[in-house]
Amino acid sequence: MSTTLLRTIQPNQFSLLATALFRRRTGNFSVRCCGSQTTTTHEAKQPSQSRVAPKNHRSNKLDEILKDYEAVIGIETHVQLSTLTKAFCSCPNNYGSYPNTSICPVCMGLPGALPVLNSKVVEFGVRLGLALNCDLSLKSKFDRKQYFYPDLPKGYQISQFDIPIASGGYVDLDIPLEFGGGHRRFGITRVHMEEDAGKLLHSDTGDYSQVDLNRAGVPLLEIVSEPDMRSGIEAAEYACEMQRIVRYLGVGNGNMQEGSLRCDVNISIRPIGQAEFGTKVEIKNLNAFSAISRAIDYEISRQALLYNQGQADQIVTETRLWEEGAQKSVTMRKKEGLADYRYFPEPDLPEVILTQEYVDGIRASLPELPEAKRRRYKAMGLGMQDVLFLANDVSVAEYFDAVIGKGAEVKSVANWIMSDIAAYLKNEKLSINDIKLTPQELAELIAAIKDGTISGKIGKEILFELLAKGGTVKGMIKAKDLVQITDPAEIEKMVIKVVSENPKQLEQYRSGKTKLQGYFAGQVMKMSKGKANPGLLNKILLEKLNA
Amino acid sequence: MASRALLAVISASPNRCFISSSWIKIQSSSSSSSLSLHLQRHSRKIQLIGRSYSSETKSSEFQPPDVSSLAETARISLTPAEVEECETKIRRVIDWFGQLQQVDVNSVEPSIRAEMEGGNLREDAPETFENSESIRASIPSFEEAYLKVPKILNKE
């Protein structure tokens, strides 16, 4: 009787506690690459100390739990590939097409239809496998994974079971300073090719669901990590790195909101010191990096609470669904065992044979990957904050590389991109690919300021015009007559004029109100239309005022 | 319905295999000599696959079918009378596979599927299927551009 009572009460207690816990954290978390490219611009210019509060990002509650328990986290990432056609038929692979139009007998599983593998899927599988430092299977195969669900017209999913195209790799990443910093390596168990299922839309009202089968048969690469992550932050950063790699490689758009990048998290906790893993729970429906982090922290708390109450047996193998609105997870289904999928080799598809030559060709064509870029930027002397910002978005990194390729000084380029350009992109909701300022002209602009042709202030002014309208720095300086006045004689003339026109202020200055120097400097600057060299101006002004 | 249950039971058995293709092949073989050849090759395959796929015991004894749970996995409902009827039929098929298991195929190269040269890939060039309307028209419950199905989320 008493146990029953206890059990009925506890879930409520917990959900209250957890809600409070996670409310407090909401908004506190931001991962650099959430969402579209334009969001990458925030917090750009601030030096590290303003945001860095190492190890304070978690609530105390969670820290306390983690004194006694260790979380073990693995992630399955589904990457939708940006091929033109589906995996096994020529139906167009377009996100957002009118429902149930991109279908054919093959992806609908009609009798007699036979799948033929898209060569791009193999290519993308090899690219991603190599990028994740995996061993490739020169001979892999497809299998059928059986389950009956309305989003799966054939009654089975074509996937790879025991021989994936790539396995045994790893990924390196840097944890941002605000989350404690540090370099991490997480193992990659495998990467395999498979097809997506259709999309189920659940109506809130009514007792039916709707199915759109345009997505059925769209190619996916599933990346399975080793259970190497220990916190929500690490898991979110891992997912973030997957998105970066996918975008760098150009194998997918990595868009989480559209479901082009989906992460399912497996998590268990165990008392510190215990060797065997606890019971694993899977969490789905994580469509933002912040959701990954929060869902994991929630799950750690939920499981720890059950442990602490001697109810560890209530942690069962199950799939839970993250509810972003409520900031909690709920049971979706108790997990079916592996055997229930009844895998067997797909008899309709030949083995996937890769030649070493083919693999080597793709290896040679791989772009510089995020980790290599970060190490290179670090070696150039940039701080980690700058490095993470610049390498986060492949377009920003390419732009940065192009500007320094023109000989511009590394730190100045980083500053310009991370402050004024980033702010502009954010305000205008643009990506760096949309701006009219070419890398060549940014290099010119920086050079013009450095050699004193124009002042830094004027540089900033013309920057925005160049960003919006394009054109050349030299052309603009000429057309607007912006060349900095560095001739002392010319500046002296203006100083004399301003001083003589303001006898009252001069008198006040000479009687001790030296703050008025600023007033005189402003007047001279105004007269020069902002072009007077500030150093020279002040030097000459002081001489005249104190004469 | 019966074939779906059959597929389910076969792939559920400890030595999971790809019965459909070998089954058809064996059936369609006309001469007895080619039949025995197929038997050898395919049952060898079955063993190999069983080994690499199954975490269960390698026992060559097949378990009797649990038709009710199979029906659940296949998402079909059977009356008790149908369960009884299916059980006898499925057991006969399983026993037949038990015989296949006894064939010694240790010296035979495994082959998973029909003979196909590797490298049978397709260019990534889109082509819209002209007659998709007839596919949609054949869907029993289709409304406002979507297939309409019973709500199944959280129903388990």
Side-chain angles (χ1 to χ4, degrees), chain A residues 85 100 141 143 203 342 349, chain B residues 12 53 113 124 145 149 151:
Chain A
T85 67
N100 294 301
K141 67 178 177 69
D143 303 277
S203 60
R342 290 139 215 269
L349 285 164
Chain B
Y53 276 69
R113 44 182 66 78
D124 184 29
V149 298
K151 195 168 191 170

